[in-house]
Amino acid sequence: AFSGSLPLSIAFAVGFERRTIRMRLPVVVAKFLSPVTLQDAAFAAKWESSAHQGSAVTVQSNEKWCNEQTLKALMTNGLHMGVVEGRASGTLAAAATLAGVGGREVLVELSLADAAAKRFSLAVRASDPTLRDGMEDLVSVILQSTRK
């Protein structure tokens, strides 16, 4: 068992400049995302052209996440994603890019499939399969958490 989170140090060079990133474990993909602001039509176009589409998954959740404002706060504050405005009620879309890596996008679409049963439909698309899988896993784990 861990008594606290472990430190992680990543050293790399950009050109001739040495850089170091210090953080604490666990490190999740959201730590490296930058929000992207999109209108609904632009999001839809990116959604259709995403290279790694995957299938929507059903996620069993709890009462906490059935609130649209709470979900928006999760996307913007917790996952560092830009929430797409103009979506139908009950459907949330968000977009982000992988910081420092041009062209790496991740798109999330989340809809309350069954409010009474607290089940969501989660779909993630991205320019990279690892980024897509990592984001899907992260959002699924958060939605299933019972932590208040």
Side-chain angles (χ1 to χ4, degrees):
F2 296 109
S3 60
S5 60
L6 299 173
L8 173 67
S9 179
I10 301 171
F12 60 98
V14 176
F16 294 105
E17 182 183 340
R18 184 169 167 76
R19 296 185 184 178
T20 303
I21 299 173
R22 289 180 176 78
M23 58 190 88
R24 307 210 57 77
L25 292 175
V27 176
V28 294
V29 70
K31 196 80 159 156
F32 303 96
L33 294 180
S34 296
V36 173
T37 303
L38 295 173
Q39 296 301 316
D40 194 38
F43 178 87
K46 285 184 178 288
W47 184 261
E48 290 305 318
S49 66
S50 292
H52 300 281
Q53 300 191 357
S55 300
V57 295
T58 300
V59 180
Q60 185 67 47
S61 191
N62 61 59
E63 191 69 37
K64 172 184 179 178
W65 300 114
C66 291
N67 178 295
E68 194 169 338
Q69 291 307 95
T70 303
L71 280 176
K72 282 184 177 181
L74 167 66
M75 289 297 172
T76 56
N77 302 329
L79 299 179
H80 309 287
M81 299 189 80
V83 173
V84 177
E85 297 300 327
R87 301 289 288 191
S89 181
T91 302
L92 184 71
T97 58
L98 197 55
V101 184
R104 301 289 174 122
E105 296 178 314
V106 62
L107 306 167
V108 173
E109 190 170 70
L110 191 59
S111 59
L112 193 54
D114 184 342
K118 300 172 188 75
R119 273 196 301 267
F120 285 90
S121 174
L122 167 65
V124 179
R125 294 185 178 182
S127 55
D128 178 88
T130 305
L131 179 58
R132 194 207 76 76
D133 294 348
M135 198 61 172
E136 180 181 282
D137 290 346
L138 177 60
V139 176
S140 293
V141 165
I142 291 170
L143 289 176
Q144 293 173 49
S145 72
T146 55
R147 207 167 182 191
K148 300 289 182 201

